[in-house]
Amino acid sequence: MAKLNFGGVEENVVTREEFPLQKAQEVLKDEVVAVIGYGVQGPGQALNQKDNGINVIVGQRKNSKSWDKAVADGFVPGETLFEIEEALQKGTIICYLLSDAAQIEYWPKVKQNLTPGKALYFSHGFGITFNERTGIVPPAEVDVFLVAPKGSGTSLRRMFLQDRGLNSSFAIYQDATGKARDRVTALGIAIGSGYLFETDFKKEVFSDLAGERGTLMGAVQGIFAAQYDVLRKNGHSPSEAFNETVEELTQSLMPLVAENGMDWMYANCSTTAQRGALDWWKRFRDATSPLFEELYDSVAKGAEAQRSIDSNSKPDYREKLEVELAELRESEMWRAGKTVRSLRPENN
Ligand SMILES: NC(=O)c1ccc[n+]([C@@H]2O[C@H](COP(=O)([O-])OP(=O)(O)OC[C@H]3O[C@@H](n4cnc5c(N)ncnc54)[C@H](OP(=O)(O)O)[C@@H]3O)[C@@H](O)[C@H]2O)c1
């Protein structure tokens, strides 16, 4: 582990320099990594590991688009692609990448196949942290750990193919074999992480649930919608409102922030823009802080987890989700966005 300084605070992290791919291959050479679930994370993690020379198989229910996708991606039925139960038997490391709700349903079958010495791997602290609600309590004789990529499985794969890396956290919940740290670090490197930072299951799930409900997804859509509506109410065209709210941010400004930080983005904008942003950002912080506090409390008391379990366990959850996504898609702002995207020169 390397000790690095983050904003004045020291943290232990694992970089690819100190734990190169060859070391990961060596640690995992006798393992069968069974990726259970081929949804969003499954493909990214399974394909990256396969390309990195790890012995990986996929477990996925048949008669599903996800099964067909695994076949199209090169996994061979009966050789590297199996029904979930068969993959659970064959795997020595079980990467449990079903949706968090389906993990509850399948847990009895997973538990049955967790013979001593195997490892149970998650990409989220959800099932274990909220085990009073999920019932996921692993046997004592297996390693239990997580690697949680900080991004979509789609990005994990895309960035791997671009020779980049998506940062991930890792945590060890149970080290039954004495090899948990090596195993989890090797997996983190093999799935294509940038650097790995250590956390625990509870912190992982609390920060993840807060982050996605907050700035990463919920809050960002909320402030987009608020600004867009105010501009529209004041007579601005959809084109103007969308460009000033979303397009400029995603196409021009966020890439600058990604490259070199917020101050650098500010430094590359007009002095008029800088003055306004410097005057207003603290007001937005102060206005939204109470909401973020409320959100964190809701996560910490388990209410967000329960809501997720309840809604995602329903048989018709996909249909209901589609209705809510359609509401976003059909809103004027995102319909305007579709047109704006179609006008990008690279799309013509
Ligand atoms: N999405 C991300 O990018 C992301 C990022 C970081 C961490 N994670 C974590 O990674 C894990 C996997 O998440 P995900 O987003 O990849 O999940 P997902 O896309 O929802 O994957 C669903 C997988 O679960 C299967 N599944 C769903 N319901 C099932 C059921 N009732 N019976 C059998 N299989 C069922 C799906 O098969 P079918 O297609 O056949 O339904 C598919 O293989 C979760 O712990 C999540 O928190 C995800």
Side-chain angles (χ1 to χ4, degrees):
M1 298 263 267
K3 215 177 238 323
L4 292 181
N5 190 308
F6 292 84
V9 180
E10 291 214 322
E11 277 186 45
N12 286 323
V13 300
V14 180
T15 64
R16 293 199 219 179
E17 224 166 77
E18 56 173 310
F19 205 107
L21 179 59
Q22 292 88 316
K23 191 167 167 188
Q25 289 166 336
E26 176 62 28
V27 170
L28 298 174
K29 70 178 185 325
D30 297 324
E31 307 274 12
V32 177
V33 180
V35 172
I36 308 299
Y38 208 75
V40 181
Q41 270 302 311
Q45 297 198 21
L47 289 169
N48 290 0
Q49 290 191 73
K50 187 172 154 216
D51 290 353
N52 274 335
I54 307 302
N55 184 14
V56 55
I57 61 173
V58 170
Q60 166 61 44
R61 64 177 165 187
K62 264 190 186 155
N63 302 321
S64 148
K65 280 188 191 151
S66 305
W67 174 278
D68 299 341
K69 180 170 161 49
V71 172
D73 285 349
F75 290 98
V76 181
E79 285 179 28
T80 51
L81 173 61
F82 303 93
E83 288 269 20
I84 294 177
E85 282 203 66
E86 206 177 340
L88 285 170
Q89 287 159 17
K90 290 185 187 300
T92 58
I93 296 178
I94 306 300
C95 295
Y96 204 19
L97 298 182
L98 296 182
S99 68
D100 294 308
Q103 285 181 19
I104 301 172
E105 192 186 322
Y106 268 79
W107 175 244
K109 284 187 190 135
V110 174
K111 196 173 174 188
Q112 242 172 39
N113 286 288
L114 286 175
T115 46
K118 283 195 180 188
L120 176 63
Y121 162 111
F122 293 90
S123 281
H124 202 6
F126 194 99
I128 294 279
T129 303
F130 297 113
N131 60 14
E132 283 179 7
R133 298 165 199 263
T134 64
I136 298 181
V137 180
E141 309 77 25
V142 298
D143 293 345
V144 182
F145 42 63
L146 67 75
V147 175
K150 296 293 118 188
S152 160
T154 307
S155 313
L156 185 73
R157 181 63 181 160
R158 278 189 192 166
M159 290 169 81
F160 177 84
L161 293 173
Q162 294 163 355
D163 243 349
R164 296 163 65 202
L166 187 66
N167 300 331
S168 303
S169 61
F170 75 98
I172 299 166
Y173 180 74
Q174 208 166 274
D175 183 0
T177 65
K179 297 187 296 186
R181 183 164 288 271
D182 265 358
R183 277 170 141 181
V184 71
T185 314
L187 288 159
I189 296 297
I191 66 163
S193 302
Y195 81 90
L196 293 156
F197 58 95
E198 189 158 9
T199 185
D200 60 42
F201 273 59
K202 189 168 151 186
K203 287 210 175 72
E204 193 287 326
V205 74
F206 282 19
S207 58
D208 194 73
L209 295 182
E212 66 206 6
R213 279 153 186 74
T215 59
L216 302 178
M217 294 169 71
V220 76
Q221 164 62 19
I223 62 165
F224 282 172
Q227 174 166 307
Y228 183 91
D229 288 351
V230 168
L231 289 171
R232 289 287 290 130
K233 269 188 212 138
N234 284 284
H236 299 269
S237 66
S239 208
E240 190 158 62
F242 189 83
N243 273 283
E244 287 296 346
T245 302
V246 179
E247 191 73 351
E248 179 171 341
L249 182 74
T250 60
Q251 300 304 293
S252 161
L253 302 182
M254 277 300 149
L256 295 179
V257 177
E259 234 171 77
N260 239 341
M262 192 65 85
D263 60 315
W264 197 74
M265 184 269 268
Y266 280 16
N268 281 281
C269 290
S270 71
T271 49
T272 311
Q274 281 163 15
R275 184 66 269 137
L278 288 166
D279 287 345
W280 279 85
W281 78 262
K282 290 180 186 163
R283 291 195 57 188
F284 280 104
R285 177 195 61 192
D286 295 345
T288 56
S289 277
L291 208 50
F292 282 108
E293 295 283 358
E294 188 183 328
L295 165 59
Y296 195 88
D297 284 350
S298 180
V299 168
K301 67 180 188 222
E304 296 301 312
Q306 192 59 50
R307 174 152 167 73
S308 166
I309 293 170
D310 291 345
S311 56
N312 297 334
S313 312
K314 296 206 171 88
D316 62 346
Y317 87 96
R318 281 201 167 133
E319 290 77 9
K320 290 211 163 117
L321 173 73
E322 184 43 43
V323 172
E324 288 182 82
L325 294 182
E327 184 192 331
L328 275 183
R329 189 164 56 241
E330 298 308 327
S331 67
E332 186 196 279
M333 177 169 73
W334 288 112
R335 278 188 291 128
K338 189 173 178 196
T339 309
V340 172
R341 289 193 298 277
S342 75
L343 293 172
R344 287 182 197 152
E346 68 268 28
N347 291 340
N348 285 298

